[in-house]
Amino acid sequence: QKEVEQNSGPLSVPEGAIASLNCTYSDRGSQSFFWYRQYSGKSPELIMSIYSNGDKEDGRFTAQLNKASQYVSLLIRDSQPSDSATYLCAGSPGDYKLSFGAGTTVTVRA
Amino acid sequence: KAGVTQTPRYLIKTRGQQVTLSCSPISGHRSVSWYQQTPGQGLQFLFEYFSETQRNKGNFPGRFSGRQFSNSRSEMNVSTLELGDSALYLCASSMDRRETQYFGPGTRLLVL
């Protein structure tokens, strides 16, 4: 079992809609969680970090963490064509590494 | 503040050769991690260094090694290259283990 699992997608949403990305993790010791965005041919770019249960909002992005359910999600509101990318969920079990999910590819249709 | 830099950006090698990749972290960052990204396996952790010490190592063969210098710059080495080593090698830096990791542009390695 992979340490971090993502709903594999791909996910296609119309411009202006909400894109919902989900991620589950197996290591209950994980304390920190991150969402990265990766455009084709580029390196991952940090979108959000979340450490506590609940919601964290940054602009059009909202991350949600539920440690009891071992669940992390990312909502992208008012999706734009520039949001088309692969989104990577990562967890940090505290042993100096990040464990990444396989990624979800999002396409925003104009 | 300058970001993470990696050199070279692209590399073509043949089987059996060895390769050394370099990473300069963000100024002030003392932790450097290396990852391998392939279409089939995704992003996989190679190793992490802090203050010249390797603190964790991923599940890769001994052909993969690394080191960190006193100025926090890091290198990774892959010996006896195999076709399956073709990948994007990413370096990420952070202040310390609980801090966010910031990725460099990567080195794309092609083994022929």
Side-chain angles (χ1 to χ4, degrees):
Chain A
Q1 181 190 9
K2 288 199 70 172
E3 293 179 13
V4 176
E5 301 270 4
Q6 288 186 246
N7 53 339
S8 55
L11 182 64
S12 179
V13 299
E15 185 174 356
I18 295 175
S20 177
L21 308 172
N22 302 313
C23 171
T24 58
Y25 60 95
S26 60
D27 188 338
R28 284 196 173 273
S30 295
Q31 297 294 318
S32 310
F33 300 89
F34 307 89
W35 284 98
Y36 287 86
R37 175 176 64 198
Q38 186 172 27
Y39 293 113
S40 180
K42 301 294 186 182
S43 63
E45 168 193 16
L46 179 73
I47 299 175
M48 298 275 286
S49 60
I50 187 165
Y51 307 99
S52 305
N53 277 329
D55 296 357
K56 180 180 179 183
E57 187 175 316
D58 184 357
R60 296 185 294 109
F61 298 95
T62 299
Q64 299 174 316
L65 173 60
N66 184 323
K67 290 187 178 180
S69 300
Q70 296 177 245
Y71 175 88
V72 190
S73 68
L74 180 71
L75 296 178
I76 307 173
R77 292 184 303 282
D78 187 24
S79 295
Q80 301 297 309
S82 59
D83 295 326
S84 297
T86 296
Y87 290 80
L88 298 161
C89 172
S92 177
D95 57 354
Y96 314 116
K97 74 174 188 182
L98 291 180
S99 295
F100 283 86
T104 299
T105 299
V106 174
T107 301
V108 181
R109 308 187 305 272
Chain B
K1 192 181 267 192
V4 179
T5 59
Q6 291 186 246
T7 57
R9 294 291 311 279
Y10 304 92
L11 209 48
I12 300 176
K13 292 286 188 179
T14 56
R15 280 180 299 173
Q17 287 186 309
Q18 74 165 17
V19 66
T20 298
L21 311 181
S22 181
C23 171
S24 292
I26 292 170
S27 177
H29 286 193
R30 298 168 66 190
S31 171
V32 174
S33 299
W34 289 89
Y35 296 85
Q36 181 196 66
Q37 187 174 34
T38 59
Q41 298 297 319
L43 257 168
Q44 293 188 287
F45 172 76
L46 280 158
F47 25 66
E48 188 265 358
Y49 288 89
F50 181 86
S51 292
E52 303 177 68
T53 300
Q54 185 183 91
R55 297 193 294 189
N56 199 356
K57 188 179 191 313
N59 189 25
F60 279 82
R63 300 184 296 106
F64 292 81
S65 63
R67 59 178 174 168
Q68 187 181 36
F69 302 96
S70 58
N71 62 358
S72 295
R73 191 177 69 85
S74 178
E75 289 181 347
M76 68 162 282
N77 183 276
V78 188
S79 63
T80 319
L81 284 166
E82 300 177 0
L83 295 179
D85 297 334
S86 295
L88 178 65
Y89 289 88
L90 293 159
C91 166
S93 77
S94 67
M95 295 287 283
D96 199 350
R97 65 182 174 109
R98 290 193 182 275
E99 297 290 332
T100 302
Q101 293 188 16
Y102 297 91
F103 283 87
T107 293
R108 192 166 295 279
L109 172 64
L110 177 62
V111 182
L112 301 175

